Amino acid sequence: QVQLVESGGGLVQAGGSLRLSCAASGRTFSSHAMGWFRQAPGKEREFVATIRWSGGSTSYADSVKGRFTISGDNAKNTVYLQMNSLKPEDTAVYYCALRSGGRYYAWNDYDYWGQGTQVTVSS
C-alpha cells in the first residue's frame, strides 16, 4: 500500500503564492510518476502538473504554465507544487496522486491519491 499526505494549502490573496507538499510512504518503489490535480466545486477533477521520478521531466496544464512549478525530492519521497501569481480561479481542493504508468493527464490512470488540501484565492 501507498500513503500520500498533502499539506500547505490555505487562504491567499490574488497574486500571492503557496507551496504544497505531498509526502509518499509505503510501497512507492514501483511508481513511475506523481501528479497534482485539482477539483473546484461543481467541476470535474483536472490535471495540474506531473513529474517523473526518473529524470525529473515535468508537464503542466496550460492554465498554470509559467505560474506553477512541480519538483521532487527522491530521498524524501516528497513532491512539491510551488504556486505563484495565484488567481481566484485557482481555488480548488488540490490532490496529489501516484501512478505506475499510463497517461499523465488522466486522473483515472493514477493508482493512489491523497486526501486533498484546500486552496482558496481571494480577489
Side-chain angles (χ1 to χ4, degrees):
Q1 283 291 346
V2 173
Q3 294 80 41
L4 302 176
V5 179
E6 303 105 333
S7 61
L11 173 64
V12 64
Q13 287 189 333
S17 298
L18 282 173
R19 189 175 84 151
L20 306 183
S21 299
C22 175
S25 61
R27 298 173 63 85
T28 62
F29 57 84
S30 62
S31 67
H32 174 67
M34 290 189 71
W36 286 97
F37 287 75
R38 66 187 181 185
Q39 189 165 19
K43 295 188 176 181
E44 294 186 354
R45 189 168 299 191
E46 64 172 354
F47 167 75
V48 175
T50 187
I51 185 168
R52 289 188 176 184
W53 282 125
S54 177
S57 62
T58 59
S59 296
Y60 297 90
D62 288 343
S63 59
V64 306
K65 204 171 291 183
R67 299 187 298 124
F68 292 11
T69 302
I70 188 171
S71 61
D73 184 333
N74 284 11
K76 297 182 178 179
N77 275 353
T78 299
V79 172
Y80 306 96
L81 185 68
Q82 177 67 43
M83 305 185 294
N84 299 328
S85 302
L86 283 161
K87 304 175 181 180
E89 51 263 43
D90 294 318
T91 295
V93 177
Y94 283 70
Y95 299 89
C96 70
L98 184 151
R99 64 186 174 93
S100 55
R103 302 160 297 172
Y104 68 84
Y105 53 85
W107 68 266
N108 53 358
D109 280 1
Y110 285 73
D111 306 301
Y112 297 96
W113 291 83
Q115 81 287 354
T117 185
Q118 176 70 47
V119 171
T120 303
V121 185
S122 63
S123 58

